[in-house]
Amino acid sequence: MHMDIDKANTLMCSCSKHEWLEDYTLADTIIIMTCAFGIKKDYSMLVIADVLKHAKQGSRIIATGCLAKLNKAELEAIPHLEVKSFNSVLQMLKDSSSSLQAKSYTPKIRQNTVIISSGCLKKCSYCVYPLIEEKYKSKPMEDILSEVSILQQTEPVIYITGAQETSDYGVDLYGTRKFSYLLGQICVKFPNTLFVIGWFNPDGLTDDVVSIIEKYKNIIHIMLHMQHNDNNILRNMHRPCFEVTESKIKRLHSVRPDIQISTEVIVGFPGETEEIFNRLVDYLEENMELFHDIGVASYEPVMNTLAATLTNLPDYSVRQRRMEIIRKKFNATAYPAPEDFKPLLSSFIEASLYLG
């Protein structure tokens, strides 16, 4: 959601020759940002059907975003729907005489989040995102500082996050990770603003990052996703081993016992037995003092990911039951996987029938 809002702002700030409307039924061109995550795929198809039904005659309807990348052929089979990558939509709208400079960037859609990068270098086996955003791309530091400067005028708390992975910030622009330096610059320039670090891989919690968090108390929260505590599961996930992750979390907690650390776990991953799941629950029970909150996702096999080829996948009912156990026991935010995986065109036909 934060990434799509950031992209929508980029579209609207890159062009002045169009008038942006809140009522799409009046628009000459309609751009739909689609989502490929779980049940949001069905919702994206419902939105497409709704727009095709109610848009004014002769309007241009464009689908972009995650589904446009992963399911391009299926979307192109829908009459009167154009399918374009985000960059091609941006190029279509962009004024030939203008460029998106940080000083002129005034977001049309407000959010208390600054997206510092897109793409991901981690290649977790269950995640489809690297197939959607193939290259890791960091925003220039001066652009980020400009966005923070704008937001801090109205927002007491600002999320600093990558679209999917935050810890590798700068590797493409500066040849090495620069997140600790960026974070230090932000905290020095805006000492009266509170900051949350989002989507942070434990691998990126290096000594320099911990030192910055220890030094600047206006960093109040970090999202560190451990995903599991079983090393065989983590190995198949292509995630850091548990002992390394746990040591980093405990070290951060020791130098900043006041900082809020949130985490997320995935249950029902291929190979997760009842015994392995129970050990995860026991660990969370015994270490709740480390975490401010917990999120839990029931594993969803996603087409074209490595994890989808693994065997010993627990039944859907087992995955849901395990997710519910953690949700209830730890008051966790739950991300359930859909039970059935209908082809996108089936979802579109069902949505069209629903809309009449």
Side-chain angles (χ1 to χ4, degrees):
M1 178 183 66
H2 294 306
M3 176 180 65
D4 285 344
I5 290 174
D6 187 67
K7 285 188 172 183
N9 279 327
T10 299
L11 289 178
M12 289 186 278
C13 291
S14 66
C15 135
S16 59
K17 61 185 177 183
H18 292 80
E19 177 188 2
W20 296 92
L21 303 175
E22 294 184 10
D23 185 352
Y24 77 82
T25 64
L26 303 176
D28 299 310
T29 301
I30 302 162
I31 301 166
I32 304 170
M33 301 289 292
T34 61
C35 181
F37 182 76
I39 59 176
K40 297 299 175 63
K41 289 182 284 191
D42 283 348
Y43 181 73
S44 292
M45 302 311 289
L46 178 64
V47 169
I48 289 171
D50 180 78
V51 170
L52 287 169
K53 179 179 180 181
H54 296 106
K56 74 176 185 180
Q57 188 173 4
S59 62
R60 188 178 184 184
I61 303 171
I62 301 170
T64 188
C66 298
L67 284 183
K69 174 71 175 181
L70 295 177
N71 300 88
K72 188 172 185 288
E74 288 184 272
L75 290 178
E76 287 178 334
I78 299 174
H80 310 299
L81 180 69
E82 295 182 48
V83 184
K84 290 182 174 291
S85 68
F86 175 79
N87 285 337
S88 63
V89 174
L90 180 61
Q91 192 60 41
M92 178 188 78
L93 294 176
K94 201 169 185 179
D95 290 333
S96 58
S97 60
S98 70
S99 60
L100 185 59
Q101 301 293 336
K103 61 184 179 181
S104 64
Y105 181 82
T106 304
K108 310 290 185 181
I109 307 172
R110 301 291 298 193
Q111 64 172 339
N112 65 336
T113 301
V114 176
I115 305 293
I116 67 172
S117 61
S118 60
C120 186
L121 300 175
K122 299 305 183 199
K123 312 301 182 188
C124 299
S125 68
Y126 51 81
C127 184
V128 75
Y129 186 69
L131 302 176
I132 299 168
E133 296 282 350
E134 296 175 352
K135 295 182 179 179
Y136 192 83
K137 185 177 181 181
S138 304
K139 281 184 183 177
M141 207 169 293
E142 56 271 21
D143 290 10
I144 294 169
L145 292 171
S146 178
E147 288 185 44
V148 174
S149 179
I150 293 170
L151 276 183
Q152 60 87 31
Q153 298 174 32
T154 57
E155 302 291 340
V157 180
I158 296 176
Y159 285 73
I160 304 295
T161 185
Q164 188 68 20
E165 175 50 50
T166 307
S167 66
D168 286 324
Y169 173 78
V171 292
D172 55 318
L173 289 181
Y174 311 110
T176 186
R177 285 174 172 167
K178 285 288 187 178
F179 181 73
S180 60
Y181 180 79
L182 170 67
L183 192 59
Q185 290 290 302
I186 290 172
C187 290
V188 167
K189 291 180 181 293
F190 310 103
N192 298 320
T193 302
L194 302 178
F195 294 102
V196 175
I197 303 171
W199 292 99
F200 211 79
N201 190 296
D203 177 61
L205 197 62
T206 53
D207 290 345
D208 55 339
V209 172
V210 172
S211 296
I212 291 292
I213 295 174
E214 181 180 8
K215 182 176 181 179
Y216 296 105
K217 300 303 188 287
N218 55 334
I219 304 169
I220 60 170
H221 192 139
I222 183 170
M223 299 166 62
L224 285 167
H225 291 178
M226 54 179 275
Q227 304 301 25
H228 216 287
N229 69 332
D230 182 87
N231 278 332
N232 287 328
I233 297 291
L234 289 168
R235 190 176 302 110
N236 285 332
M237 287 180 172
H238 295 184
R239 298 283 295 182
C241 77
F242 177 67
E243 289 77 15
V244 172
T245 295
E246 183 184 36
S247 66
K248 290 186 175 187
I249 291 174
K250 287 186 174 180
R251 184 187 170 206
L252 180 59
H253 188 265
S254 69
V255 301
R256 280 289 307 276
D258 60 309
I259 196 170
Q260 296 177 350
I261 302 174
S262 60
T263 196
E264 183 180 283
V265 295
I266 296 175
V267 298
F269 193 80
E272 185 189 64
T273 63
E274 200 69 16
E275 180 182 2
I276 290 173
F277 170 72
N278 287 334
R279 286 203 300 266
L280 174 62
V281 174
D282 291 342
Y283 171 80
L284 293 175
E285 281 186 315
E286 295 166 5
N287 294 275
M288 274 306 296
E289 76 279 359
L290 296 176
F291 303 113
H292 174 258
D293 59 69
I294 295 172
V296 57
S298 58
Y299 171 71
E300 171 191 356
V302 180
M303 183 176 61
N304 296 328
T305 59
L306 286 174
T309 67
L310 297 174
T311 58
N312 299 321
L313 174 66
D315 290 341
Y316 174 78
S317 60
V318 173
R319 305 200 307 268
Q320 292 295 101
R321 176 179 59 80
R322 291 174 183 173
M323 181 195 67
E324 280 297 301
I325 288 172
I326 290 183
R327 184 184 69 82
K328 291 178 180 178
K329 186 177 288 288
F330 304 106
N331 193 29
T333 302
Y335 303 95
E339 183 172 8
D340 57 337
F341 300 97
K342 299 186 294 293
L344 287 187
L345 288 181
S346 297
S347 297
F348 175 73
I349 292 169
E350 289 183 11
S352 300
L353 292 172
Y354 172 76
L355 292 168

